[in-house]
Amino acid sequence: PMKIIAVYKNKEESTLEIASNPEGLVFSLNSEVYSAPKSFVFESGTSIGVSFPASQEKDNSEQVSGNDTRFLFSKWADGLAENTRTFELTEDTRLEATANTEYLVEVSSETAQIGGTGWYRKGYFLNITAPEVSGYRFVSWIVNGAKAVGNPLSVTVDSPKKIVAVYEEAVVINKTLTVSTTPEGLLVKIDGNQMVSPYQITAAEGSSHAISTITPQEKDISTQIVGNDVRYDFSGWNDGSTVTTRTIELNSNLSFVAAFGEEFKLEAVTQPFGIVQIGGAGWYRDGEKVVLNVVAVEGYNFLHWSVNGVKAGESSTLEFIIDEPTVAQAVYNSLPTISLEDREVSKSGVLELLLSEHSADADGDTLSYSLLFGPGSITGGIYSVDTSELNAGVHEITIEVSDGRGGYAADGFTITVTEQNNPPAVPGSPSPASGSV
């Protein structure tokens, strides 16, 4: 239906049309209240004062009690931002006020306190979540009398809304949730509570729970190494998932197993400790091949490897498969030392040297000696030479010392032999006889 009115005016009158977007908004003109759109005829030059309220409300919906629609003045169509304007009408004029529309949303429940009630701009996308309530189960939403499912609820505010969360009393059926590990005894979490596996809880059927592993984890399982010596890295769950933290819904008795790979700590050291650094220490996967090499050290000779206290070969390279925390020790021997000084003797008697006074061994090994070059002999750790049997001059001697464990050292010295200056011999029967001349 349409009503058409023809408006006439004489030349001394002007028409004023007041409109609103949306239509039907209340305004005042020269202190009188009207509803837009509205047309007026005034004598030209009339002073006009027109005003739209900053906010006005209406009751547009039967679903929400009281005023449920709100209009907030925005601006005039010609861009003026003030909601009140005064002017002199000198020509036909059309003024249009625009307003933002807001709708009231009421959110309620007989069971829970749910936020969300308030005014929302038209077209706003609203999300509302029904909280868990002990002893109750969320069923559905009622939106303006119509059932809606899903939690959270997503709704476009295109009209006043009355939203009700419907719960029903829950019949609690308990189920078990078990989290274990391979190997057993590692740490796991259920709902943030950390325990040693296997860890089991009993909870309501349909409840959600967060289960998680802790990775890496370390333990001290060996007396060979001080501190933690085995490390466990998470590899996956028994159902194929590889995320460390996951959320599950307990619809039946459930059991989850977290698998871990083992790594063992390897310490590579020397005996005596700290004389050199052996490369290769660190963490190794169970079953991984380990290769270590001896490093030459001045003043020492390599004897053998020892793995967790057991002799493991004399080769300079050690290879083995690691299956436990391991201390690989390269055993070295301190080389003996010997220092001999040059000597000068006259050609007479026997020269003896107690060689233990001229040699040493840091390990305290029993030393033995060998004459490598020169006159004389060694017996019982004593070097001796009969100088009377030597020609006058310089004689070179080299002696080697051994510690019986592959350690050798040698040193040389000289013996300078000089002729003995004897007094002249007296004849037993001088001729001519003494005193006869």
Side-chain angles (χ1 to χ4, degrees):
M2 181 180 297
K3 181 178 181 180
I4 301 174
I5 300 175
V7 180
Y8 293 86
K9 64 184 181 64
N10 58 36
K11 293 183 179 180
E12 284 81 24
E13 293 178 339
S14 296
T15 298
L16 173 64
E17 181 183 356
I18 306 296
S20 66
N21 183 13
E23 289 186 352
L25 298 186
V26 172
F27 69 95
S28 62
L29 189 146
N30 293 346
S31 301
E32 296 294 330
V33 178
Y34 302 94
S35 179
K38 181 72 175 176
S39 294
F40 304 89
V41 177
F42 295 97
E43 291 184 0
S44 294
T46 300
S47 179
I48 303 296
V50 61
S51 175
F52 276 83
S55 173
Q56 51 186 291
E57 298 179 0
K58 291 185 178 182
D59 183 2
N60 286 341
S61 172
E62 295 179 356
Q63 300 293 334
V64 179
S65 59
N67 291 337
D68 48 40
T69 305
R70 184 165 68 180
F71 306 96
L72 304 179
F73 178 83
S74 175
K75 62 181 179 180
W76 297 93
D78 59 3
L80 187 66
E82 296 293 332
N83 63 320
T84 298
R85 59 194 300 172
T86 302
F87 60 97
E88 184 176 311
L89 185 65
T90 60
E91 58 181 353
D92 292 344
T93 302
R94 184 180 187 276
L95 298 177
E96 181 179 353
T98 60
N100 295 322
T101 302
E102 292 185 346
Y103 297 116
L104 180 62
V105 176
E106 290 184 350
V107 183
S108 64
S109 173
E110 294 181 354
T111 307
Q113 292 287 337
I114 304 177
T117 296
W119 291 95
Y120 295 89
R121 191 166 182 173
K122 180 180 179 180
Y124 182 80
F125 192 70
L126 178 63
N127 286 316
I128 304 173
T129 300
E132 292 186 3
V133 179
S134 178
Y136 290 84
R137 183 179 69 88
F138 172 76
V139 177
S140 66
W141 301 93
I142 302 297
V143 180
N144 286 354
K147 183 178 179 180
V149 296
N151 190 28
L153 171 70
S154 297
V155 62
T156 300
V157 181
D158 54 7
S159 65
K161 303 289 184 185
K162 182 176 183 179
I163 301 174
V164 180
V166 180
Y167 290 80
E168 67 179 11
E169 194 169 352
V171 178
V172 178
I173 301 175
N174 289 329
K175 300 294 181 181
T176 60
L177 171 61
T178 305
V179 180
S180 55
T181 61
T182 55
E184 287 190 352
L186 299 182
L187 296 175
V188 295
K189 288 183 179 180
I190 299 180
D191 297 331
N193 298 314
Q194 180 173 294
M195 296 291 288
V196 175
S197 70
Y199 178 23
Q200 184 179 86
I201 66 168
T202 300
E205 181 179 17
S207 57
S208 294
H209 302 274
I211 63 173
S212 60
T213 66
I214 299 170
T215 186
Q217 300 184 42
E218 295 183 3
K219 284 187 176 184
D220 182 3
I221 67 170
S222 171
T223 59
Q224 300 290 337
I225 296 176
V226 176
N228 292 335
D229 45 37
V230 61
R231 184 164 64 188
Y232 304 94
D233 288 303
F234 173 72
S235 59
W237 297 94
N238 57 313
D239 61 358
S241 175
T242 57
V243 294
T244 56
T245 299
R246 55 194 299 196
T247 300
I248 58 95
E249 190 169 329
L250 195 59
N251 291 322
S252 61
N253 294 327
L254 296 178
S255 179
F256 294 89
V257 181
F260 286 79
E262 287 183 293
E263 292 184 347
F264 298 116
K265 191 174 186 179
L266 170 69
E267 289 187 352
V269 298
T270 61
Q271 180 188 338
F273 182 79
I275 60 174
V276 73
Q277 183 172 345
I278 304 294
W283 293 94
Y284 290 82
R285 295 185 305 274
D286 184 17
E288 188 173 354
K289 183 179 180 179
V290 178
V291 179
L292 302 178
N293 292 291
V294 166
V295 179
V297 185
E298 184 177 356
Y300 295 85
N301 66 296
F302 172 72
L303 295 178
H304 61 82
W305 292 97
S306 173
V307 176
N308 285 348
V310 178
K311 187 174 180 180
E314 300 177 0
S315 172
S316 60
T317 298
L318 174 66
E319 296 184 9
F320 63 95
I321 302 299
I322 194 166
D323 58 3
E324 63 178 338
T326 301
V327 177
Q329 188 177 61
V331 181
Y332 288 82
N333 172 56
S334 299
L335 298 179
T337 59
I338 185 169
S339 179
L340 301 169
E341 297 179 353
D342 295 339
R343 297 176 179 272
E344 183 175 338
V345 296
S346 18
K347 188 175 181 180
S348 65
V350 176
L351 170 65
E352 291 186 342
L353 295 177
L354 182 59
L355 295 177
S356 62
E357 295 179 351
H358 302 276
S359 58
D361 186 272
D363 299 327
D365 297 328
T366 300
L367 302 179
S368 60
Y369 307 90
S370 301
L371 180 62
L372 299 183
F373 180 80
S377 62
I378 297 176
T379 303
I382 297 175
Y383 168 77
S384 63
V385 60
D386 188 349
T387 59
S388 63
E389 298 179 355
L390 302 179
N391 295 325
V394 178
H395 300 270
E396 294 182 353
I397 299 94
T398 302
I399 295 176
E400 181 183 75
V401 59
S402 169
D403 61 6
R405 297 202 299 166
Y408 296 88
D411 193 26
F413 70 104
T414 61
I415 298 177
T416 302
V417 179
T418 59
E419 292 285 355
Q420 187 175 11
N421 185 19
N422 296 321
V426 177
S429 301
S431 178
S434 176
S436 61
V437 179

